[in-house]
Amino acid sequence: MFSRRNLYFKFSLLMAVIILVIAIGLYVQYVYSRSMAQDSAKKIADLSALAKKNEIEGWLAGKTKVIHDAGNMLALVQGQESQFLTYLKVVLKNNPEFSSLYFGSVDNRMLNASGWQPPPGFDLRRRPWYVVALVQNKLVITEAFLNASRDDVIVTIAKPVYAADGTLLGVVGGDVSVRTVVQMVQATKEPTEFAFLMDGNRKFLAQTEQGGERPIDPVEDSTAMNQDIQMLLDMGRTDSAGVFPYRMNGRNGVVAFQPLSGTNW
């Protein structure tokens, strides 16, 4: 009788040990699988953000080349303003995303392919595009802003222009719509993916449209946005090239940030 009880006890103990080992193995496998899934999600999110970054930067490169080329042409035809203005008009016609191409000289004269001329007393040399380009002494992309008619969001691309002897001639610039960039961001079709573009001033330029919701106003202050969006903005300012786990709309996920070269986006 004692032997049977002892045997039963040993069998029960053995079964308990086996169950414990199996449970530990399953738990370890679960933790490992979850870790692998999280790592995979981070890589996918980072690659998606990188792909979107490359797409937008490629578009920006085409627009900055227009301004680079205009600056080079101006240096070549120095003193032949009518010839340069004709060149600007042709370039503007062939680049419809630009609403205007212009040159502001050091003596406050403007050549504008769109035909607009500043009113008396208007000092071009105090405009942000002119000042920033000179201060940084390179091609610059300004902050995004609403155009005068308030029907489009634009940026100004500007570059200082120098004569062969190093004399400053002025600044050449162009106003270009970011509508194409907005469409790039909104084009994200994966139902589990949410893309957004923000600038360094905590303002959204674009977001993926989901569920028929209205896109965020590109110049809307972030204080009017919900808590999730504000958290994302704060995370992006903390680390503009980071990848973080994040829970949004009741679902666990990953958020990845990629900075765009030449901008504060």
Side-chain angles (χ1 to χ4, degrees), residues 8 40-41 55 58 85 109 136 149 162 168 181 197 208:
Y8 178 77
S40 178
E55 182 182 10
L85 183 58
R109 291 179 296 108
Q136 297 191 23
S149 57
Y162 295 90
L168 177 67
V181 176
L197 176 65
T208 302

Side-chain angles (χ1 to χ4, degrees), residues 57-78:
E57 285 184 348
W59 180 85
L60 284 173
K63 306 312 163 191
T64 56
K65 186 178 185 302
V66 170
I67 303 304
H68 271 304
D69 292 347
N72 293 337
M73 176 60 73
L74 177 62
L76 287 174
V77 300
Q78 180 184 348

